Amino acid sequence: FEMDREAYERIFEFDFTRSFPFNLRKFKFFSYTFKSEVNQVDENFINFLASQASSLEELSLEFSSREILQTIFTRLEKLSILTLNSNSLPTDKEFYDQLNPLENLKEIYADDRIPNEIAAMGLLGNCPNLEVLKVDCDPHEVISNILPFIAVENPKLRIMHIDTLK
């Protein structure tokens, strides 16, 4: 299931609980692009995300808000592949402390700047079985500062690609 802002506006303009057409189906792949200047998420969409999160195996988020990340990251149980593009990763430890370990997560692809060490350690510290980490446009100092942390917290990591193009 792939969605952009236009699809979002068409689908979530009605009451989720009464008439959502996909409520009997659980998705394994979800891709969401929030292409809007308005960083407002409506309750129908939050309810939809909450209903789908536990079944997702692959998730791709682009231009997502903190509210979306908070809603979905606390419920991901089967996720194995995570792609983040131009998201605003939270920078506070409390956000990452509330996450359950993402035991099934094997691959992270981020075309994002990881804002600080708290975000990097918070995300990677919750991925004990991570095998692939690819980060594009990450400021070199964040990842290089946490390499010892990655070695301890992600012992199964076998591919790490960091592109520090500025």
Side-chain angles (χ1 to χ4, degrees):
F1 188 67
E2 194 165 337
M3 179 180 300
D4 61 14
R5 179 65 185 180
E6 186 177 322
Y8 166 82
E9 288 172 346
R10 285 196 314 267
I11 292 172
F12 293 99
E13 62 190 14
F14 49 80
D15 184 359
F16 172 84
T17 55
R18 286 188 295 139
S19 56
F20 189 68
F22 307 116
N23 62 352
L24 299 177
R25 183 172 177 186
K26 294 289 185 179
F27 296 111
K28 292 185 177 188
F29 169 75
F30 183 71
S31 176
Y32 177 69
T33 301
F34 199 89
K35 294 180 180 172
S36 173
E37 297 300 320
V38 179
N39 201 13
Q40 182 178 354
V41 181
D42 96 16
E43 188 177 335
N44 290 333
F45 186 63
I46 294 296
N47 290 337
F48 166 73
L49 282 179
S51 75
Q52 298 298 316
S54 65
S55 66
L56 292 176
E57 294 176 15
E58 185 174 348
L59 173 64
S60 177
L61 294 174
E62 187 170 1
F63 299 108
S64 292
S65 69
R66 178 188 173 94
E67 187 176 5
I68 290 173
L69 295 175
Q70 279 183 305
T71 297
I72 204 159
F73 272 44
T74 57
R75 293 177 170 90
L76 297 169
E77 297 171 9
K78 298 180 181 177
L79 193 69
S80 62
I81 300 172
L82 175 63
T83 303
L84 299 171
N85 297 315
S86 302
N87 293 283
S88 297
L89 288 174
T91 58
D92 56 299
K93 188 175 181 314
E94 292 76 25
F95 173 84
Y96 299 99
D97 286 346
Q98 70 179 341
L99 296 182
N100 296 324
L102 301 169
E103 299 284 345
N104 295 312
L105 191 60
K106 305 276 192 241
E107 302 174 24
I108 295 177
Y109 302 96
D111 291 339
D112 271 335
R113 288 197 176 276
I114 295 180
N116 63 16
E117 290 181 29
I118 292 172
M121 292 169 69
L123 183 58
L124 296 173
N126 280 295
C127 306
N129 297 309
L130 191 66
E131 295 176 3
V132 177
L133 174 63
K134 182 179 179 196
V135 179
D136 290 338
C137 300
D138 179 70
H140 179 68
E141 63 274 4
V142 172
I143 292 293
S144 63
N145 287 347
I146 67 161
L147 286 177
F149 174 85
I150 292 172
V152 171
E153 296 294 321
N154 307 108
K156 296 181 181 179
L157 192 67
R158 55 186 178 75
I159 298 172
M160 183 166 69
H161 172 88
I162 302 168
D163 186 348
T164 58
L165 295 176
K166 294 187 179 193

